[in-house]
Amino acid sequence: MPAQDIQRVLVVGAGTMGGQIALQCARHGFDVTLYDVSAEALASGMARVRGYARRLAAEGRADDDTLGRLTPTNDLPAAAATADLVTESVPEDPALKGRVFAELNDLCPPHTIFTTNSSTLLPSMIAAATGRPDRFCALHFHLPPWDANVVDVMAHPATDPDVTAAVVAFARRIGQIPIVAKKESSGYVYNAMLSALNRAALTLAAEGVAEVADVDRAWMGIMKMPIGPFGIMDAVGLDTVWKITDFWAGVTGDPQLRANATFLQSYLDEGRLGLKSSRGFYDYPNPAFGQSGFLAGNVADEE
């Protein structure tokens, strides 16, 4: 399918990333359907999307028709029937992703391109389950895509080069800068670097070397950054960070990853999911790391 023929986009998964991808596509003129199996998740996801849209409109970066191009639904067969491109943002579990794509393969037209927004999984881990491996690749976004507008495009050995080219062109049409991986590699480009930072930060806290806020102070103070690794993890969602850490702990048997997953679980047990629940390593909307005096240690730490 030529890139210009992609007009209707189906986003599967109405979490933080799925909602932001849906809005980014709608902002650039595409007809978008946002699907989630859970009516509650869809409702909360759309509430976030409307909030993003209001802020972008106030900045002159979204028009009055943007939300009119975005349709939420729990009806997957109807949404899939007209999709030209699917982007998936369900939890980081290859078996789950495979089941989702297998269902979509039965529902979508033959021309539909499938893409995954997986943070760390290789496309080849899911490709066979899609039923159309030649029309499948990774298209990985970053938060939020209207500002952090770089996407990773990663094919697997069976991906049709024309499909990869169409996905790259689509990425440009929605205001993204595509980084095309030359071969499969976990974490793509940015996330490979970020994962190493997050692992180091989690290890320092889980092993009792330093407090969460002090780890962020070290990074922010030396690198002159407005946010540290724990603030970044709050934005991603601690449930997502835990899922990734737990998955790879199981795959590799790495005891440090297992300890880090246990450390994250203690926050999840308290309902601290990060920014989306207003409580994570920090409390929102006014996290300690954003307050004057944080770097000097003059703001009460939050954990």
Side-chain angles (χ1 to χ4, degrees), residues 87-173:
T87 170
E88 160 274 315
S89 291
V90 303
E92 200 78 344
D93 178 341
L96 172 61
K97 290 179 184 289
R99 290 194 297 271
V100 169
F101 278 118
E103 183 176 5
L104 286 165
N105 187 49
D106 291 335
L107 298 172
C108 289
H111 73 265
T112 307
I113 292 172
F114 287 176
T115 66
T116 178
N117 184 53
S118 170
S119 299
T120 59
L121 302 177
L122 302 179
S124 58
M125 298 171 71
I126 310 166
T130 69
R132 54 183 79 189
D134 60 319
R135 304 192 67 74
F136 171 71
C137 68
L139 177 61
H140 175 251
F141 293 79
H142 299 88
L143 291 164
W146 41 87
D147 290 327
N149 63 325
V150 173
V151 294
D152 301 290
V153 178
M154 183 180 289
H156 63 95
T159 306
D160 184 333
D162 289 341
V163 168
T164 305
V167 170
V168 168
F170 168 76
R172 291 196 175 104
R173 289 176 64 194

